[in-house]
Structures are given as structure tokens and as C-alpha cells.
Amino acid sequence: MARATPGTGGDSRMDAAPLTVAAVARTLGVAASTLRTWDRRYGLGPSSHQAGSHRRYTPDDVARLQTMRRLTLRGVAPVDAARIATEPGTGDSRDGEETGPAEEADDGSLALDPLTLAAAAVEPDLRRVHRMLSRATREAGVVAVWADLVQPAAEMVDQGRHRLAQRPGSDPHGVMRLGLMQAIRELAVPGPAPVRVLAPAADRVSAHVIAGGLAEAGVGALVVPAEHLPVDTDPLAWLPEGEVAVLAVIGNPPGAEEVVTRSSERGDVNVFLLGDESPSLWLPHVHRVRTPAAAVAEIAATVRD
């Protein structure tokens, strides 16, 4: 039975025969001279050697080259693409698809930087994005990950060539959002949720980041979509007395001023306003915070008091 070349299906990667430079060049659609350049400059060369013959590319070699090829086509600089392609665990997927249970493990060697995250989102490789964000969250906290990793990676995505045109079903920003949401879900706090975080759709991820930060502090919180607030009933019906201690409002969604004013008048809920566009209200029990990190710290302290 003939063996299938990598990337075309058929036999498993462990059973695939090593390939020549010419065969790999045809598989990737690049010139053989390009492969030799990548070998010489970045160490992306063949690793298999048989006595009396030239070195051959193994399936893992080809997988790394496929990653290199995908990233360069999406505008990543070759030196950066090569670094990402040679990281442990990077060359284990084809066209962004995971290959098996071994992909789930993270031995701590996967780089955690905006460029690597942006490249994984562009591929797209959701599992790898999730592994990165999950580990980064455990090490630095979700608020820091949002500010120092996810947002810079999103800016890199917007600066790349693919910002002008994307393949159907490819959404790098969506991949990063979903990976971050998965990491935040892992922080869930059982029991009561004395905090509500109100946010419009444009700031929904920020709301989940704050709720995740509160979860890390042991405080339960629920995110409330501003567009779903009741308009024909009591505007505070969704803030049951005795159950909610804090309301955080991100930005200035429709109806926010009335909700904040009524909450202040009721007197049993502390309100925290976050964002440059937050309502210009100076009322009892209403506080202003400048950053998500400050919001998490002050809200957690308020709930504990």
C-alpha cells in the first residue's frame, strides 16, 4: 500500500515515509531553494538520515515547515515565524487542526508573548490559544493577561496583511476571545454571586475579564448584557435586594444613568463606574475606577467589608 504524504490524510504521521527536498517543496508549494534557505537561516531542515543517502524530512519536519509557510503567508516576519514553528508542540497540527491527546498537555515550554498568541490566532489554532491563555492566567492573573497579552496581540493582528481579507471561518479576534473565555470559565467561583457587571456588547469581554479577576479573588460575579435590561418594568428588578452588593457599570450603555441613579437612591448597592464614557454622576454609593485591575481590587474589598 502506498503511503500518503503529510497533510493529505491516510497513514498516521508515525508511519509516513521521510521525504526528499523535492517532495516537500511540491507539498508546500515552495521552491527547493526556499527550503534550503530556511534550513540554513532558521534550522528548519530535515532531521532524518539514512546511510548512503541524503537527509530526509520527517512528518514532524514537514509540520514545522507547514507552520512556517502559513505564518509567512499571513504576514509574519520569517524570523518570527521560524521561532514560532520551532517551539515545542508547535509542529503538531495540520492546517490548524489538532492531532490528538498529546496536544492537550502544556509542559511550560510554550512561549507566552503577544506575537506567538497572534500567530496562533491567525492560523487559527484554538486549542493552542486556549493553552497559552490558560497558563498565562494561572501565572499572572486574567486582568494582566488581558492588558499585557491579549490586547497587544489583537493590535498585531490588526496591523497584519490579513486584516484586509480573511478566509471564510477565520476570525483571529474571535479565536482569542473564545480562548480567553475558556480560561475565564476555569476560574468560576461556586456559591453566591454578589456582584453584577453591566456592559454593552462592545465591552462584553472587558466585563468577563473583571468577573474573572473577581473569581480569582474568591468573589462571585455575573455579567449582564446591557441590551437585555428591562425597559417596561422596574429598572432594578434584576438587582434583587439582599443578594447583590455591588454593581459595576462599564462605559455608558443605554439606561445606565437611570440604573445608577436608582441604585444610589435605594442605598443597598455600591456602584462602580469604569471607562472614560461612564455616566457623569456624582451620587452617594457611586464610585469611579480607572482600570480593570483597580475595579477588581476595590470591588473585592467592598464585598468583603
Side-chain angles (χ1 to χ4, degrees):
M1 179 182 295
R3 299 184 188 273
T5 57
T8 60
D11 293 335
S12 68
R13 308 176 77 207
M14 292 299 295
D15 296 333
L19 299 176
T20 64
V21 172
V24 174
R26 288 195 299 270
T27 299
L28 298 180
V30 301
S33 59
T34 298
L35 295 182
R36 295 188 181 96
T37 298
W38 288 354
D39 183 7
R40 184 176 66 257
R41 293 183 180 176
Y42 311 119
L44 288 169
S47 59
S48 176
H49 181 270
Q50 299 175 355
S53 65
H54 296 291
R55 293 164 65 202
R56 300 295 182 95
Y57 288 87
T58 67
D60 285 338
D61 296 334
V62 175
R64 283 187 285 271
L65 290 170
Q66 288 173 327
T67 298
M68 176 76 173
R69 176 69 167 156
R70 283 196 299 269
L71 295 178
T72 54
L73 286 175
R74 287 161 174 75
V76 177
V79 64
D80 293 324
R83 177 177 63 80
I84 294 167
T86 53
E87 287 176 357
T90 299
D92 296 334
S93 63
R94 296 184 192 141
D95 298 325
E97 296 180 1
E98 302 299 325
T99 59
E103 283 288 304
E104 299 295 339
D106 178 9
D107 60 4
S109 61
L110 188 61
L112 301 178
D113 61 83
L115 175 61
T116 304
L117 177 62
V122 167
E123 284 196 42
D125 190 340
L126 176 57
R127 290 187 184 179
R128 185 163 176 246
V129 167
H130 172 235
R131 289 200 307 276
M132 291 178 64
L133 295 177
S134 181
R135 195 182 102 211
T137 297
R138 292 194 302 270
E139 294 178 358
V142 65
V143 175
V145 167
W146 169 245
D148 301 332
L149 186 59
V150 176
Q151 289 184 309
E155 293 176 2
M156 290 182 177
V157 168
D158 287 337
Q159 293 168 2
R161 292 185 309 184
H162 51 277
R163 72 188 186 281
L164 300 177
Q166 298 175 356
R167 292 180 302 168
S170 176
D171 179 7
H173 289 287
V175 170
M176 285 189 285
R177 284 195 300 270
L178 186 53
L180 182 63
M181 291 296 189
Q182 290 177 323
I184 291 173
R185 283 200 300 274
E186 296 165 3
L187 304 171
V189 176
V195 179
R196 298 293 186 272
V197 185
L198 176 67
D203 293 315
R204 197 68 44 77
V205 178
S206 298
H208 284 279
V209 167
I210 291 174
L214 290 169
E216 290 173 326
V219 176
L222 298 177
V223 175
V224 179
E227 61 271 22
H228 294 162
L229 288 181
V231 294
D232 299 326
T233 60
D234 180 359
L236 297 189
W238 53 279
L239 287 176
E241 295 185 42
E243 294 183 19
V244 180
V246 172
L247 168 64
V249 180
I250 301 178
N252 191 4
E257 293 194 12
E258 182 179 7
V259 168
V260 172
T261 300
R262 293 286 298 276
S263 297
S264 174
E265 293 172 350
R266 204 171 80 176
D268 64 330
V269 176
N270 279 283
V271 180
F272 288 83
L273 304 179
L274 178 65
D276 295 335
E277 299 180 357
S278 59
S280 299
L281 299 174
W282 304 92
L283 301 168
H285 309 291
V286 176
H287 318 274
R288 295 180 181 277
V289 287
R290 295 179 57 84
T291 66
V296 169
E298 295 190 30
I299 291 172
T302 298
V303 171
R304 294 192 184 108
D305 291 343

